[in-house]
Amino acid sequence: MSETETDVIIAGAGIAGATLALALNQAGLTPVLIDPVVFDAQVAPTFDGRASAIAYAAFRQWRVLGVGSALAPHAQRIEQILVTDGQTPGAATGGPQPFFLRFDSAEIADRSDGEPLGYLIENRHIRAALAQAVLDAGIEVLAPARVAAARFGPRAAMITLTDGRTRRAPLAVGADGKGSVIRTEAGIGAVGWDYPQTGVVATVRLERPHEGVAHEYFLPGGPFAILPLTGDRASLVWTETTARGAALKTAQPEIFHTHLQRRFGDFLGEVTVEGPVFTYPLSLNLAERLVAPRAALLGDAAHGIHPIAGQGLNLGLKSVAALAQILVEAARLGEDIGSPVVLERYAAWRRFDTATLAAGTDLFVRLFSNDNPLLRLARGVGMAAVNRIGPARRFFMTEAGGAVGDLPRLLKGEAL
């Protein structure tokens, strides 16, 4: 058994964990990443078919960390978002709806420095760019390796791997997903529930240019989102009931295509599925606390929310920026970076935003994933009202861009 010292142990080398490691390393701290996946595999542009809408403030963080140039060729600018309350059986049926909501990046160009509403990037490209940056920076990565146990003492956290190796540091960060070992070992509970829905994810090629426009239809079974990718492709996030999601996953390609085209409509021409179709069960999970003695949580270890607003990853990236700033400032002042007083600054900064976004997405799911005529009328009137009120519309766009509130420096495009 061997034991070595480091500043911060990060369990989980996914998007949140790798971004934190890069931020800490750039500011002079020494992180170590632990991940069960062979790390070289993350450099290869493969993975799970998902794409993420990245707020323009979150993309600023990656620019500061030196990853922006690697991501730029894969980042599709989202110039407009069109939101419509669709009807059964899908987005292609019926005539135009009287109620809709339209966001246009040109409206907030003066306050966003010409940034789009966000960027749509396939997760495989994000992971590959971050992993390459981690390797280039010489950050220590233990992979494949699994955390077997963690002990949190008065002066340090001790992490034991399944192969017997140990690591000691003033702080251990759990960025290891929904079933976080760090969260469990730190005695932090989680609350949440499953939704009776499944997310069906696929990448399609479009016959006609999407022109950077994202479409979201609220259907009785759940939202159906058409999110623009580079090369006139789109990422589909198709929310259905659990039973229908399972049927779509196993459907013959021609049957899946028929259902897809019916949902999609013909405004972008013929749609061709590229690659496999993926399905993901949808749920809400929220850690009862973000910190414990010598431990802090990030990403899905701290929160897992419904994709209805496309903000799950952005929520994690905002927490990365906040935690990195807190730790770096504390280290420069000579403070113990794993002490309760330091970690409480992070929790206080992120607690309200995390809880309100989780509650807000849950409310949206319940409000929009149904065909109740009264609720349909109420939400339609609400969308139409927001669409007519310029200041409200611009606030929502700036909020979605991650540029509202007390922003960490990395989200402002400033180095730590």
Side-chain angles (χ1 to χ4, degrees):
M1 180 179 294
S2 64
E3 179 180 318
T4 60
E5 295 275 353
T6 191
D7 289 325
V8 181
I9 299 166
I10 305 171
I15 295 173
T19 302
L20 177 64
L22 289 168
L24 296 178
N25 180 76
Q26 187 182 79
L29 293 179
T30 304
V32 59
L33 284 162
I34 302 171
D35 199 88
V37 177
V38 177
F39 200 67
D40 288 349
Q42 298 206 39
V43 177
T46 57
F47 267 86
D48 59 7
R50 287 185 283 191
S52 295
I54 304 299
Y56 63 79
F59 200 85
R60 289 173 185 165
Q61 176 172 218
W62 285 336
R63 287 197 188 105
V64 174
L65 299 178
V67 188
S69 58
L71 287 173
H74 309 291
Q76 170 62 51
R77 290 171 60 98
I78 303 174
E79 301 292 0
Q80 294 183 23
I81 301 175
L82 299 178
V83 182
T84 307
D85 196 6
Q87 294 182 350
T88 304
T93 61
Q97 298 300 309
F99 304 124
F100 65 92
L101 188 55
R102 176 175 178 169
F103 298 122
D104 192 323
S105 62
E107 278 196 73
I108 58 169
D110 58 336
R111 67 183 73 177
S112 67
D113 297 324
E115 296 276 13
L117 297 173
Y119 297 87
L120 214 293
I121 315 175
E122 292 165 273
N123 284 17
R124 62 191 178 116
H125 294 309
I126 300 174
R127 290 177 181 272
L130 290 172
Q132 190 61 59
V134 165
L135 295 176
D136 292 344
I139 296 170
E140 183 181 13
V141 181
L142 304 179
R146 292 183 180 274
V147 176
R151 288 189 292 111
F152 302 95
R155 299 182 63 85
M158 174 77 76
I159 304 300
T160 303
L161 306 181
T162 52
D163 61 9
R165 287 179 293 174
T166 62
R167 283 292 190 273
R168 174 194 291 270
L171 174 66
V173 174
D176 47 345
K178 180 179 176 181
S180 172
V181 177
I182 298 297
R183 187 184 67 215
T184 300
E185 294 286 275
I188 301 176
V191 297
W193 44 83
D194 295 331
Y195 294 109
Q197 295 175 324
T198 293
V200 182
V201 178
T203 299
V204 299
R205 183 163 295 280
L206 309 173
E207 183 181 4
R208 299 172 190 155
H210 53 59
E211 299 180 341
V213 181
H215 300 263
E216 182 153 21
Y217 299 92
F218 290 118
L219 305 177
F224 177 76
I226 305 168
L227 308 174
L229 290 172
T230 55
D232 283 326
R233 297 172 302 135
S235 174
L236 304 185
V237 183
W238 180 354
T239 306
E240 274 290 4
T241 62
T242 302
R244 288 182 179 177
L248 286 169
K249 170 65 176 175
T250 58
Q252 294 294 323
E254 58 273 16
I255 295 175
F256 180 87
H257 183 268
T258 299
H259 283 283
L260 172 61
Q261 199 72 47
R262 191 179 186 199
R263 290 290 189 278
F264 212 99
D266 58 4
F267 70 103
L268 289 173
E270 182 68 21
V271 177
T272 306
V273 178
E274 292 194 343
V277 175
F278 299 86
T279 59
Y280 298 95
L282 302 180
S283 62
L284 182 143
N285 296 279
L286 200 61
E288 294 176 345
R289 293 174 287 146
L290 292 176
V291 300
R294 302 285 165 193
L297 301 180
L298 277 180
D300 287 347
H303 46 70
I305 63 175
H306 195 285
I308 191 169
Q311 290 297 309
L313 181 55
N314 291 308
L315 186 62
L317 291 172
K318 189 178 287 189
S319 294
V320 166
L323 181 58
Q325 183 169 321
I326 291 292
L327 297 181
V328 169
E329 290 178 347
R332 288 171 179 167
L333 292 172
E335 295 181 279
D336 177 355
I337 62 173
S339 67
V341 67
V342 170
L343 295 182
E344 180 53 32
R345 293 173 199 158
Y346 164 63
W349 199 350
R350 298 302 304 141
R351 186 182 293 122
F352 180 76
D353 189 32
T354 301
T356 52
L357 184 57
T361 55
D362 184 66
L363 177 62
F364 261 67
V365 172
R366 299 178 190 281
L367 179 63
F368 282 92
S369 296
N370 64 76
D371 205 21
N372 183 296
L374 293 179
L375 285 178
R376 179 179 291 281
L377 177 62
R379 66 201 186 208
V381 170
M383 285 197 299
V386 172
N387 199 56
R388 285 175 172 271
I389 302 172
R393 194 172 58 247
R394 288 188 285 274
F395 171 81
F396 281 117
M397 284 189 278
T398 307
E399 171 69 30
V404 171
D406 184 13
L407 292 184
R409 285 201 297 271
L410 286 170
L411 297 187
K412 297 176 184 178
E414 302 170 3
L416 295 177

